[in-house]
Structure formats: structure tokens, C-alpha cells
Amino acid sequence: METKDATRLYYKEWGTGNPVVFISGWGLSSEMWSYQMIDLSTKGLRCIAYDRRGHGRSDDPGGGYDYDTLADDLASLLDHLDLRGVTLAAHSMGSGEIVRYLTRYGSSRIDRLALIGTALPFPLKTADNPDGFNRELIDSSRAMWKRDYPRWLFENEGPYFGAGLPGCSVSPEIVEWTKADMRQTSLKAILDCNLAVIETDFREELRDISLPALIVHGNKDCSFPIEMSGMVASRLLPNNQFVVYENAPHGLYITHMQRLNDDLLEFALKK
């Protein structure tokens, strides 16, 4: 399918029933949702996932990695498939695409939203956001991506998948599969999307969302620690269920796969 600016986006669709649209985390394609989609598509859900521009099998137009354009891309997909009664489920960065979509387009197509390991609401440390990341830390990571992004992925695979945490045993093959997915992402998209994540303040927009929301976050998330993300988002969203996974890292969609699948199924089928 094509977006408003003629960027071609790849998507896949498995199963029938209530529609769930999965939005990937930073640097990842729709492949990250394979183990959710393969399970839930056999249990009464129509599972749809797409590759963000610059990711996976979608076009890399070299721009449009701001949240307004990314929300427009999501709108293009929903319009293309004419989806109604949708559950939007997002990991990490993708949560912002949901919020900005609802701000720009309203909720006529959407029934509920699930935010998993969310980067919301605002990860940058400022005078009124003292628990955010120092800009020096962000700048240091970005400088390394410009020199050796694959090396950074290698150095951060342990924290991402909770190495050493109880119940977080992940095969080397799954780790490599994830890194391979991220290595094929446009470096321009990696850098620009990170800038959007870090510098966009969603606090006021979250307060305006009345839809039912499920927030799932691991209490050992090193990418977006729960105290600055999921916990804060739960205080801002008016109508949410906040579920904390003990000893779960940012990559909990792998480490806590079956629990997450069960929680998403129950939430998406809720009357």
C-alpha cells in the first residue's frame, strides 16, 4: 500500500475476527510480532502488522520519521483496509504513533489500545521531567550508532533480553534474528526515529485519550525504565489497566511471550 507521500509500506495479515494492528518498536520491523501473530491469529483475531517507513520491506524515503508523518502512515493503513473496532498494540516507540494518530484522526476506527514496554510519555530529562534521560547519554548513543551501529546492538543485547534474570532464557538464534532485523533498518530511520522518541512530549495528549488501554511493562526494563515510562503513562491515561511483569526486560514480547499473548487476547476480545 502507499501513503500520502507515495511511500510504499509492507504489511501482513493473518487470521480473521476482531482486528489487531501491531506497531513495532524502534528499529524493528513487523517480524518482531511473529510469535504474537502466529498464536493470536488462531484464536479469533485478525492480526495485522506493518513495517514502518525505512524498516523491513517498506520504502526508505529518507524522511518522514517524525510522529505526525508516522501517524499519517498508520492512518493510511487503517483506511486502506477500512478497519473498524481496532485494537492498536504497540511496543516502545510505536506507542507514540498510536497517541499521535488518535490526536490527529480521533477514535472512530479504534476500540482500545495496548502499550507494551512503552517509551511514553517523554523520556528526555528537563526541568519538569527530572526522571528522564540526560541528553549527554542520548548523544553518546547516537554518536556510536553513526560509527558502529552493529557493535552497539551486540553490546546491548543482554539488557534488552534480560540476560541473567529469572525466566528470561533466550536462545542465541532469537537474539541474532532480532539483531538482523534491526541491522537492515535504514540508519537514517534509526537516527531520526530516535530523535522523535526522545524529544516528543506526549503528556498532554495522553490525558485526552478516553479509550480503554492496557499498559504492560517489565520492572527490569533497561531501555525505558518503568518509573519514567509505563508508571507515568498509567497516571496520565484516564482509563487504563497497568500490568507489571516481574523480572521482565524491554524485549518481553519474547521473554514473556505466552503471558503477553494471553493478556492481549483477553484484552482484544473484551466486550
Side-chain angles (χ1 to χ4, degrees):
M1 57 149 285
E2 285 194 354
T3 66
K4 293 179 179 179
D5 65 356
T7 298
R8 292 173 301 173
L9 298 184
Y10 168 86
Y11 71 92
K12 56 187 175 183
E13 181 177 358
W14 300 347
T16 59
N18 295 7
V20 180
V21 175
F22 291 94
I23 306 165
S24 302
W26 171 81
L28 288 156
S29 77
S30 58
E31 289 301 297
M32 72 165 285
W33 296 114
S34 295
Y35 298 100
Q36 281 67 53
M37 293 179 66
I38 201 69
D39 185 9
L40 300 181
S41 63
T42 66
K43 297 176 179 176
L45 294 176
R46 179 185 177 188
C47 297
I48 301 154
Y50 67 101
D51 292 349
R52 184 184 291 112
R53 58 175 59 211
H55 295 63
R57 284 165 275 191
S58 291
D59 285 351
D60 174 16
Y65 300 111
D66 58 282
Y67 272 117
D68 283 353
T69 305
L70 296 174
D72 291 347
D73 290 350
L74 173 57
S76 294
L77 175 72
L78 297 176
D79 291 347
H80 175 74
L81 296 173
D82 193 23
L83 298 176
R84 306 277 176 179
V86 176
T87 297
L88 292 176
H91 179 254
S92 191
M93 172 189 179
S95 303
E97 281 151 282
I98 290 179
V99 174
R100 187 55 55 85
Y101 169 84
L102 293 170
T103 298
R104 289 170 72 81
Y105 292 93
S107 59
S108 62
R109 292 186 179 275
I110 313 303
D111 275 4
R112 53 183 63 86
L113 51 138
L115 310 178
I116 303 153
T118 184
L120 298 172
F122 183 36
L124 183 63
K125 184 174 184 177
T126 59
D128 67 343
N129 192 45
D131 294 327
F133 294 126
N134 288 319
R135 186 173 288 279
E136 293 76 15
L137 177 63
I138 303 301
D139 290 344
S140 174
S141 294
R142 290 172 60 82
M144 185 168 184
W145 300 338
K146 292 177 182 179
R147 295 192 310 270
D148 194 342
Y149 177 59
R151 178 69 187 183
W152 181 88
L153 290 175
F154 170 76
E155 291 178 355
N156 285 272
E157 65 186 41
Y160 187 83
F161 285 118
L165 292 175
C168 288
S169 177
V170 176
S171 73
E173 291 79 12
I174 281 281
V175 172
E176 182 53 38
W177 173 72
T178 301
K179 291 190 298 182
D181 188 28
M182 298 185 77
R183 285 196 298 263
Q184 72 173 339
T185 301
S186 158
L187 187 57
K188 186 72 161 60
I190 289 292
L191 290 161
D192 287 3
C193 286
N194 171 260
L195 198 64
V197 170
I198 295 301
E199 297 195 345
T200 307
D201 185 349
F202 285 105
R203 287 177 289 185
E204 290 305 315
E205 289 175 71
L206 280 171
R207 292 188 176 98
D208 292 334
I209 295 173
S210 58
L211 292 173
L214 172 67
I215 302 173
V216 174
H217 216 97
N219 71 341
K220 298 297 184 182
D221 190 322
C222 293
S223 299
F224 292 96
I226 191 169
E227 296 81 6
M228 62 173 281
S229 51
M231 195 174 290
V232 181
S234 73
R235 293 197 294 263
L236 296 174
L237 272 171
N239 182 18
N240 78 86
Q241 176 188 359
F242 182 35
V243 181
V244 178
Y245 286 13
E246 296 292 326
N247 292 313
H250 200 52
L252 57 78
Y253 60 94
I254 293 293
T255 62
H256 292 64
M257 182 189 302
Q258 195 56 56
R259 181 178 178 185
L260 178 62
N261 293 357
D262 292 344
D263 285 346
L264 286 173
L265 178 66
E266 180 183 2
F267 183 65
L269 294 178
K270 191 174 291 185
K271 300 297 184 181

